[in-house]
Amino acid sequence: MARQRKFYTWLCQHSLASFLLLTLSFVVFGKLSFDIVHLFSANAEYLLDNGWIGLVEGGLQQLLELIFSACAAMAAYMLFKLCEQALLERLRHRHD
């Protein structure tokens, strides 16, 4: 827990690095989440239409890759929100 707090404190103290990380995480989130709902839907339709053969022919692997992409997108979003909070905290205390 202390390590996460140190990282947050570091982000608050280094606004340029925080902004760059915020931008990078925004781009990663956008790239990973782009059209993911459509891909999940297409994968589900493929699996339903082809059953066991669809699983064996790569449908299961694609589903697992989509789940991994969704988890990575969520991690990027959480990093984005952390950097956003750090920048807002710095702006809030700048006026005190």
Side-chain angles (χ1 to χ4, degrees):
M1 189 66 126
R3 195 168 79 192
Q4 289 94 346
R5 186 72 182 152
K6 285 181 184 179
F7 181 62
Y8 179 75
T9 302
W10 185 86
L11 285 173
C12 288
Q13 294 170 347
H14 298 88
S15 57
L16 180 60
S18 184
F19 183 76
L20 292 174
L21 195 54
L22 175 117
T23 303
L24 178 64
S25 64
F26 177 77
V27 170
V28 169
F29 172 72
K31 172 71 174 130
L32 290 174
S33 62
F34 181 74
D35 214 21
I36 201 165
V37 172
H38 175 71
L39 292 173
F40 265 115
S41 175
N43 181 262
E45 184 178 336
Y46 174 77
L47 292 176
L48 289 173
D49 288 347
N50 296 296
W52 179 253
I53 304 259
L55 283 175
V56 174
E57 291 294 320
L60 180 61
Q61 179 181 346
Q62 184 183 38
L63 179 62
L64 294 174
E65 289 170 358
L66 287 170
I67 291 170
F68 177 77
S69 291
C71 291
M74 189 50 60
Y77 178 74
M78 290 170 55
L79 181 60
F80 172 83
K81 294 301 283 182
L82 180 68
C83 292
E84 176 190 42
Q85 187 63 38
L87 288 169
L88 290 174
E89 183 77 18
R90 183 173 173 103
L91 286 173
R92 233 180 272 127
H93 288 291
R94 181 177 281 180
H95 297 293
D96 289 344

